[in-house]
Amino acid sequence: MPRPIALIVDDEPDICELLELTLSRMDIDSHSAANISAAKKLLPQFPFKLCLTDMRLPDGNGIELVEYIQACYPTTPSAVITAHGNMESAITALKAGAFDFVSKPVDLTILRRLVKTALKLSGASHKVETAHDTLLGDSDVMHTLRTRIAKLARSQAPVYISGESGSGKELVARQIHQLGPRSEQPFIPVNCGAIPDELMESEFFGHKKGSFTGAIVDKTGLFQAAHGGTLFLDEVADLPLQMQVKLLRAIQEKAVRSIGSTQESPVDVRILSATHKNLSTLVSNGSFRQDLFYRINVIELPVPALRERNTDIPALTHHFLQQLAQQNNTPMPSLDNDALEALSRYRFNGNVRELENILERAMTLCEDNNIRSGDLQLIQHQINDPLPEDIPSIYEDNKQASTSPPPLDPYLDNTEKQAIIKALEQTRYNKTAAARLLGITFRALRYRLQKYGID
C-alpha cells in the first residue's frame, strides 16, 4: 500500500519541519508550501489525503485555501492551524468547510488524533448508501437532508440539529456519526433535560472516589465515555446556565476535569446537539448563553416535520407496521385505503413518533388484522385544514420558550383536556406513554395535568 500524502501550508519553516517530522513518524509523506499560490500548484500534482494549513499566510487567509479545496478537491479534508484561544477563527474555518482545527502551539497528541481521523474519511464513502435505508422517504426534503448528512459526516464541526419533537433528530445524529470517520467509536446520547441539576457535573465529567458524600467509587463521565466518538446533547436548551459555562469550557479546551481531580484530562469528542425549542429566542431572553450557542451552532441542520413530507407517509407506515409485527411476532396487518388517506391528511404534530404510536395502537384495536380509519383514532382538529397560524398547536411545547403555554380560549382548553384524559385512559394512566401518544414531553404533560387538575 502506498503511503498517504499530506499537504502542509505554512510560511514558518520551523512549523513545517515539526509537522513533516510528526507525519513521517506516522508513515505519512508530505509536501510543504509557504503560501496559497504554491499550495494551489501542488494540489493537482499529488493525491493528497489531507491538507494542514496555517490561518495567516503571506498571500491571503487559510480560509481561502479551505474554500478552494472544498470546491476543487472535495474529497480532501483540510484542517486549519489557528492562534491559541482564537475560537472565532476556528469557527469561521469550520463554517467554510474545514474538517477540523488545531491551535498553536501545536499539541502533537491532538494533531495525531486529527490526522488519523481525517485519513479514515477515504474509507467511509461507501457507507453513504446506507443512509437511505435508515432515514426513510423519497420526498425532496428527505433527499436534501440525506445529502447534507453525508457532507456533514466528513467534518468534525459541531452541528446543531433543529426540528420539532418526534421528527427524528437523534436518528439524524446517529447517521452523521455512522457515516463519518468516528463510526467505530462510541455514540453517546444524553437527554440534558432528564439529568437532575445537582448530578449534572458528575454525569458529564465524572468524579473521583470520596469527592463528595455518596461517591464510593470513581465514575467515568459522558465526555470520557464518548472519547474518540460522538457526544449527542439532546434537549440542550434544558441545560442550566451554570452547566452551560462548564460545557463551553470543555468544548473549547477539549479537556475535562472530574469532580475531586486536580488535573484535566484531554478528550477527543465530536459534539452534536439538538432541541425542539428556539435557541435564538432563548439567547435573546438570557436563558441560554450566546457564546455556547455560537460554539455548538457552527452548522445548523433542520429536520423537516412529517407534514412537510406527507408523500413519505405510505413508506413510513409500511415500515412501522412491518417492524411492529416482527416485534410482536404476529402477521403484518393490512391497511385500508381510507385509513391511509386519513393518515395522509393528518397534521402529525408529534411527527414520526406520533405516527408510530398511532399505528401501534391501531394494531391492538383492529379486527381481522385489518386496520380501518376508525382504528386510528385520529384527533379530529388535526385532520384536513391546518390550524390557523395565530394559534400554536396544543400538542407541541411552546416554541417561544416561555415558562407557560400560550393562552387558549375555553373551547380549546376543554378540547385539550379531553384529549389528555383520553390518552391517559388508553395508556392505563401511564403518564410517560400518554405524553408519547400526545406528541409532547413528559414535563409538558405534567404542567397540563396540574393546569386542568387531572389526577
Side-chain angles (χ1 to χ4, degrees):
M1 292 278 297
R3 284 161 55 116
I5 307 173
L7 173 62
I8 300 170
V9 188
D10 201 304
D11 62 333
E12 295 183 45
D14 290 347
I15 295 289
C16 286
E17 186 177 350
L18 173 66
L19 296 178
E20 287 172 358
L21 181 60
T22 302
L23 293 174
S24 177
R25 288 173 176 171
M26 298 176 69
D27 293 325
I28 300 170
D29 293 332
S30 60
H31 293 276
S32 296
N35 52 49
I36 294 174
S37 178
K40 288 182 177 179
K41 291 178 181 177
L42 280 172
L43 278 164
Q45 297 180 33
F46 301 95
F48 291 113
K49 297 294 184 182
L50 169 68
C51 173
L52 295 170
T53 178
D54 192 17
M55 182 68 83
R56 304 179 71 175
L57 295 165
D59 57 347
N61 192 299
I63 301 292
E64 297 173 34
L65 183 59
V66 169
E67 292 174 336
Y68 178 80
I69 292 173
Q70 274 282 296
C72 302
Y73 304 91
T75 60
T76 302
S78 53
V80 173
I81 303 169
T82 65
H84 176 70
N86 193 343
M87 289 306 302
E88 208 170 294
S89 295
I91 290 173
T92 302
L94 292 171
K95 284 182 179 290
F99 162 76
D100 207 344
F101 70 94
V102 61
S103 300
K104 290 182 178 180
V106 177
D107 184 316
L108 295 183
T109 301
I110 292 176
L111 176 66
R112 290 189 196 99
R113 281 202 301 260
L114 182 154
V115 170
K116 287 178 182 177
T117 304
L119 293 180
K120 289 179 183 176
L121 284 173
S122 58
S125 57
H126 69 280
K127 302 177 187 174
V128 175
E129 300 163 3
T130 65
H132 189 278
D133 298 330
T134 306
L135 290 167
L136 299 175
D138 287 314
S139 58
D140 290 343
V141 291
M142 288 305 291
H143 281 296
T144 301
L145 178 63
R146 284 193 290 268
T147 300
R148 291 203 66 192
I149 287 172
K151 186 174 182 179
L152 293 175
R154 295 184 58 81
S155 167
Q156 296 304 291
V159 178
Y160 164 54
I161 304 167
S162 60
E164 298 178 5
S165 293
S167 56
K169 297 186 291 295
E170 182 173 340
L171 191 60
V172 168
R174 287 183 182 275
Q175 280 295 292
I176 293 173
H177 172 76
Q178 288 297 327
L179 298 180
R182 296 175 178 264
S183 61
E184 295 179 2
Q185 301 302 318
F187 175 87
I188 305 294
V190 51
N191 187 330
C192 298
I195 305 174
D197 290 1
E198 62 273 15
L199 297 179
M200 198 160 279
E201 186 174 358
S202 173
E203 286 295 315
F204 274 99
F205 308 133
H207 64 247
K208 293 294 184 182
K209 177 182 177 180
S211 56
F212 56 85
T213 303
I216 56 176
V217 294
D218 288 353
K219 176 182 172 61
T220 300
L222 293 165
F223 267 87
Q224 294 96 323
H227 183 69
T230 302
L231 183 62
F232 174 51
L233 304 175
D234 198 9
E235 298 304 342
V236 69
D238 291 341
L239 285 172
L241 285 170
Q242 183 181 7
M243 190 60 205
Q244 291 178 28
V245 177
K246 295 175 180 177
L247 178 63
L248 176 65
R249 175 175 172 77
I251 294 173
Q252 290 188 164
E253 299 299 324
K254 296 185 177 181
V256 298
R257 185 169 62 187
S258 300
I259 299 174
S261 175
T262 58
Q263 294 182 329
E264 286 191 332
S265 304
V267 287
D268 172 29
V269 172
R270 185 181 188 183
I271 299 292
L272 304 178
S273 59
T275 181
H276 68 280
K277 296 179 180 178
N278 190 322
L279 272 188
S280 297
T281 301
L282 297 183
V283 169
S284 299
N285 65 29
S287 57
F288 199 87
R289 290 182 62 95
Q290 186 177 50
D291 46 7
L292 179 59
F293 172 69
Y294 286 124
R295 190 65 190 90
I296 64 174
N297 188 26
V298 173
I299 300 171
E300 180 174 354
L301 179 61
V303 180
L306 184 53
R307 60 183 168 275
E308 296 173 31
R309 56 184 190 105
N310 61 353
T311 56
D312 293 333
I313 288 176
L316 288 166
T317 299
H318 182 271
H319 168 74
F320 285 133
L321 290 177
Q322 191 175 54
Q323 191 177 63
L324 290 166
Q326 289 174 351
Q327 290 172 0
N328 298 323
N329 197 25
T330 59
M332 178 177 162
S334 58
L335 189 76
D336 275 3
N337 288 335
D338 59 344
L340 184 57
E341 183 182 348
L343 289 173
S344 298
R345 292 186 291 114
Y346 194 62
R347 275 185 59 83
F348 287 108
N349 290 324
N351 293 293
V352 179
R353 186 186 299 142
E354 184 182 8
L355 171 61
E356 184 177 10
N357 289 338
I358 286 171
L359 293 172
E360 185 173 10
R361 181 178 63 216
M363 278 186 66
T364 305
L365 297 174
C366 73
E367 300 290 340
D368 304 323
N369 210 33
N370 179 36
I371 297 175
R372 301 169 179 82
S373 58
D375 299 323
L376 299 172
Q377 295 191 349
L378 301 179
I379 300 170
Q380 289 303 308
H381 78 259
Q382 292 192 48
I383 300 176
N384 296 322
D385 297 329
L387 291 170
E389 290 184 359
D390 59 337
I391 302 179
S393 164
I394 60 176
Y395 294 103
E396 292 177 326
D397 283 336
N398 181 9
K399 290 186 180 177
Q400 302 308 314
S402 61
T403 57
S404 61
L408 301 169
D409 59 43
Y411 172 77
L412 284 179
D413 274 358
N414 185 60
T415 302
E416 180 176 50
K417 182 177 180 180
Q418 294 305 314
I420 291 172
I421 291 173
K422 187 175 181 179
L424 287 168
E425 289 173 347
Q426 289 174 357
T427 59
R428 297 182 180 179
Y429 280 80
N430 182 323
K431 294 176 183 177
T432 302
R436 283 200 301 265
L437 189 62
L438 292 165
I440 61 176
T441 64
F442 179 79
R443 185 180 297 179
L445 176 61
R446 185 170 58 191
Y447 171 84
R448 288 167 169 85
L449 292 176
Q450 294 173 348
K451 176 182 176 181
Y452 297 124
I454 302 172
D455 294 326

